Amino acid sequence: MCDALRGTTRGFVAAVLLGVLALGMPRGAAAQRTDVRPLAVRFAESARRSDSLSRLTDSLTAAAESAVPPLKLDEGLVHIRYDTSVSPRVLGLLRDAARLATSHITNIQGDAAPRTVGAAEFIAHERPSPWTGIREFSLRLRSAGGYQTLSATLPGRADRVSEYVERAAADIVTGKLAPAHPAHPSRRLGAIPAARVTEAGWTEIAEWTASSPSSVARRCIGGDARECRRLLLPPGPVPTLDDWYEPADYPGIVKGHDWTKASPERKAIVTRCLAERDAGAQHDAAVSGTARRGA
């Protein structure tokens, strides 16, 4: 179910419950009555009502998500369930995207692909947007509660839909990896990439390496294969400052960022970093600078 529909469902349920409460109270009494109960009692009652509403909304959402559309599109490794709301134009788009995704996923996962994304199903819908009225389609991974839904207005692009399927395929196979440690079963041994790095991607990496203030990058350029591996394969799923930079690099990172629009507090940290060489301030400012630049 797309996020917009989920929001509409919650809004509808809330409106119904509020209407019932309003109908159950005489208009004059509603205007004149003052609740003199302690705040803690009123808060607890509000919390119970909120929990009840959340459970009702969740049950409606689960019922809608468990409903399987009757029609099915099978293209390569990709299986999509849909209903009569989906137009021939969207079906053609989904077929093109499925063929493209199958090629890319097979290129990454090889013989494992039929057992990963090949064993999964996607759900497609097409409907007018509740906000704009423009027709849009949505695609989500079936039986994956909370998984991000792709929503796009028509005519849509096959490569964007293919990227969504490829990311889902990578997440599926990553979830099948053994836990890194018995005490942390949610942590996996690495992550499977959604796609191979393209020629343009390698060019971007090369340019970033050549111009980066990172000591790791400079040692990689100097021929240190271990540092190149550290540069291209950081240990965690989300690279951190310490993966690529060392304390000696921090001032260079901070100097290279435009701080003119920063808050007074952030500017004070920058001053402590550059003028006073405060180690803590250097780290904080470097983290902020790399986050803003996406480096």
Side-chain angles (χ1 to χ4, degrees):
M1 177 181 293
C2 69
D3 293 338
L5 183 57
R6 182 176 290 110
T8 301
T9 302
R10 291 182 183 273
F12 172 75
V13 173
V16 170
L17 292 184
L18 288 175
V20 170
L21 292 175
L23 290 174
M25 180 181 292
R27 183 162 301 180
Q32 297 174 10
R33 180 182 299 175
T34 300
D35 196 338
V36 296
R37 293 176 302 168
L39 180 61
V41 174
R42 286 182 284 163
F43 179 82
E45 181 178 335
S46 297
R48 287 194 296 271
R49 290 180 179 178
S50 177
D51 291 342
S52 177
L53 176 60
S54 295
R55 288 194 296 270
L56 177 58
T57 302
D58 290 343
S59 66
L60 292 174
T61 299
E65 291 188 347
S66 64
V68 179
L71 305 177
K72 190 176 182 182
L73 181 155
D74 295 310
E75 189 67 51
L77 294 173
V78 182
H79 311 293
I80 302 174
R81 290 278 185 176
Y82 66 98
D83 57 23
T84 55
S85 71
V86 179
S87 65
R89 176 171 61 170
V90 170
L91 283 178
L93 172 69
L94 294 175
R95 286 189 183 280
D96 291 343
R99 284 193 289 267
L100 188 60
T102 295
S103 173
H104 291 171
I105 294 168
T106 303
N107 206 9
I108 291 289
Q109 299 185 15
D111 294 340
R115 300 189 301 275
T116 57
V117 70
E121 283 187 330
F122 295 85
I123 305 293
H125 289 289
E126 181 182 350
R127 58 176 58 85
S129 166
W131 316 115
T132 64
I134 300 174
R135 291 197 69 81
E136 63 181 18
F137 71 92
S138 64
L139 189 68
R140 66 175 176 84
L141 185 60
R142 181 185 173 193
S143 302
Y147 195 82
Q148 182 181 6
T149 296
L150 171 69
S151 296
T153 56
L154 298 177
R157 287 176 47 181
D159 58 340
R160 295 284 177 83
V161 179
S162 174
E163 288 173 3
Y164 174 81
V165 175
E166 292 165 39
R167 287 195 302 271
D171 291 340
I172 291 170
V173 73
T174 297
K176 294 180 179 294
L177 295 176
H181 191 278
H184 302 284
S186 63
R187 298 181 183 177
R188 302 293 172 178
L189 295 174
I192 303 301
R196 293 182 182 273
V197 180
T198 63
E199 182 178 349
W202 282 115
T203 299
E204 183 179 352
I205 291 173
E207 291 174 349
W208 178 83
T209 304
S211 60
S212 172
S214 164
S215 295
V216 176
R218 289 194 293 272
R219 289 195 290 268
C220 172
I221 293 175
D224 190 327
R226 290 175 301 179
E227 294 295 73
C228 288
R229 181 177 181 84
R230 177 181 169 186
L231 184 74
L232 298 175
L233 299 172
V238 179
T240 66
L241 181 74
D242 297 332
D243 291 333
W244 290 335
Y245 299 96
E246 298 173 354
D249 304 327
Y250 295 167
I253 298 172
V254 177
K255 287 180 181 178
H257 180 69
D258 181 10
W259 299 97
T260 55
K261 297 181 180 179
S263 66
E265 293 80 6
R266 187 62 61 186
K267 289 180 180 178
I269 293 176
V270 173
T271 300
R272 285 167 47 211
C273 166
L274 298 179
E276 303 172 18
R277 298 291 172 171
D278 182 311
Q282 286 180 345
H283 182 271
D284 291 345
V287 168
S288 181
T290 53
R292 283 168 167 76
R293 292 190 309 174

